[in-house]
Amino acid sequence: MMSRVLVTGAAGFIGSHLVDALLARGVTVLGLDRRRLGEHPLAGENLATAVTNRLFTPYHLDLATDQLDDVVKGCDTVFHLAARPGVRQSWGGEFLDYAQANVVGTHRLLDACTREGVRRLVVASSSSVYGPADRPSREIDPTCPVSPYGVSKLAAEHLCLAYARRPDSRLSVAALRYFTVYGPRQRPDMLIGRILFAAYTGFPITLYGDGSQRREFTYVSDVVTATLGAAHLDVRAAVINVGGGASVSMRGVIDEAAKVTGRQVPVKVVDAQPGDVPATAADLTRAGRLLGYWPTVGLHEGLARQSAWLVNLSRDRLAAFTS
Ligand code: NAD
């Protein structure tokens, strides 16, 4: 049973959905993020409902630099979703931030969990730890990240597993490899939101390459279901894929978005980018066996829900799509 939990990255896209789901189950939630709610408009919007709930307390902390013991103390479960996401920017000078947030931040959180006797950590890993694959990736497949972001996520995953496997450890770890997540509150740099935005505004979507790249798109409520389930897993250290059940090409998503919105999607084609694998697809056998997980929201339904959310967006959120 969970009674008091910490969610890192609580003000982000997936973290805020997880916070809402935990609060709906009557769990006391401490929400940690380096974005300050009053100052970062998207963070404030993401947690707008949560902050009205007396079971929720936000903490403005940076995992890489701030003291973490006080916020970890007394938590039975830590959901670690905080990270610097995104493949493209990770090649440049901003890698230092990826290393700080994803690697140093994870290490410092693990140290605090160890000192405070936390028993369970669920960490958001990523499909980007796999390299190019010509069939659905299984957790036992060799990892071979092809971007600095993927390298940082694999390092974070290994750190968590190493802490769980220490002979004297009381901490058990479930590392969930999420495959491209979408839905309301999706980060403005991500593809599906940009496609829907293009359909409604005529502001063209930038397509990297010929659009044949395939991605396993996973609706955010399915990701939350798997993440909550992983908190109850009876294993010391596990790695589990969390996918949407089907892999679809970029062109396929654009066509589906046109059907959902009843509008054309203007496209600007540019060269493929380093770090983008031709395809991602998840083998969900282990997720089914350990978590009883199978995705419930298909691409058409998920696009319809994200589209319904998008048409009511705030000025701040809309501005983020064009920046
Ligand atoms: P997001 O950027 O919306 O949320 C991440 C949050 O973490 C942000 O609010 C950010 O401020 C916070 N954060 C970053 N560094 C921090 C630090 N040092 N200290 C405190 N807070 C910090 O991203 P998201 O899309 O919701 O992703 C959540 C998690 O899921 C990440 O770990 C990401 O790597 C992983 N993931 C996401 C996807 C996806 O498709 N969105 C796919 C695979 C894995």
Side-chain angles (χ1 to χ4, degrees):
M1 275 293 288
M2 284 181 283
S3 63
R4 178 183 170 93
V5 309
L6 172 68
V7 177
T8 75
F13 161 42
I14 305 170
S16 64
H17 282 281
L18 179 64
V19 166
D20 288 345
L22 286 159
L23 293 173
R25 285 162 178 74
V27 178
T28 297
V29 181
L30 285 58
L32 181 157
D33 206 288
R34 67 178 173 181
R35 289 176 178 164
R36 197 186 286 279
L37 298 191
E39 289 169 9
H40 193 285
L42 303 193
E45 278 183 43
N46 288 347
L47 290 175
T49 307
V51 293
T52 65
N53 191 315
R54 61 180 176 77
L55 294 175
F56 181 70
T57 312
Y59 286 85
H60 176 236
L61 293 172
D62 190 324
L63 289 178
T65 50
D66 288 320
Q67 199 271 104
L68 302 173
D69 289 32
D70 289 348
V71 72
V72 163
K73 191 188 295 255
C75 289
D76 46 70
T77 308
V78 171
F79 294 95
H80 177 35
L81 277 72
R84 172 76 190 267
V87 166
R88 283 182 199 102
Q89 287 178 318
S90 70
W91 290 106
E94 291 182 48
F95 183 70
L96 185 60
D97 188 46
Y98 284 79
Q100 284 283 348
N102 302 359
V103 183
V104 176
T106 298
H107 183 258
R108 295 186 78 251
L109 178 68
L110 286 161
D111 265 352
C113 288
T114 303
R115 281 191 296 272
E116 296 301 331
V118 173
R119 304 304 287 263
R120 161 72 63 188
L121 181 99
V122 180
V123 57
S125 186
S126 168
S127 58
S128 62
V129 304
Y130 295 114
D134 50 15
R135 57 169 173 72
S137 297
R138 294 169 303 176
E139 295 86 346
I140 53 168
D141 290 342
T143 49
C144 181
V146 294
S147 71
Y149 164 70
V151 170
S152 74
K153 292 301 287 183
L154 185 58
E157 184 186 297
H158 277 299
L159 276 170
C160 294
L161 296 171
Y163 269 76
R165 287 176 180 142
R166 262 172 66 143
D168 59 347
S169 178
R170 298 173 68 199
L171 182 72
S172 64
V173 166
L176 304 183
R177 292 179 178 165
Y178 297 160
F179 284 66
T180 316
V181 188
Y182 72 106
R185 305 180 197 159
Q186 193 189 37
R187 299 194 327 264
D189 60 295
M190 294 189 72
L191 182 77
I192 286 191
R194 288 195 169 249
I195 290 175
L196 293 170
F197 182 77
Y200 286 116
T201 63
F203 189 87
I205 165 86
T206 303
L207 190 61
Y208 298 98
D210 63 3
S212 63
Q213 313 95 299
R214 303 179 76 81
R215 290 287 174 274
E216 174 128 352
F217 293 100
T218 316
Y219 192 72
V220 66
S221 61
D222 285 325
V223 170
V224 168
T225 301
T227 306
L228 291 171
H232 302 291
L233 202 57
D234 188 19
V235 291
R236 174 157 289 273
V239 176
I240 305 171
N241 288 338
V242 177
S247 189
V248 185
S249 74
M250 304 291 177
R251 287 279 175 198
V253 185
I254 290 171
D255 292 347
E256 202 61 42
K259 281 187 208 149
V260 165
T261 59
R263 291 158 183 260
Q264 291 299 312
V265 180
V267 173
K268 183 176 94 183
V269 177
V270 300
D271 288 344
Q273 300 284 298
D276 277 344
V277 289
T280 66
D283 183 314
L284 296 177
T285 311
R286 186 179 289 182
R289 183 164 48 80
L290 293 182
L291 304 177
Y293 170 80
W294 186 253
T296 59
V297 182
L299 186 63
H300 186 88
E301 171 64 19
L303 282 173
R305 292 189 198 178
Q306 187 164 344
S307 173
W309 168 79
L310 192 107
V311 293
N312 289 313
L313 284 192
S314 69
R315 198 180 284 269
D316 286 328
R317 182 84 67 167
L318 288 173
F321 282 107
T322 52
S323 61

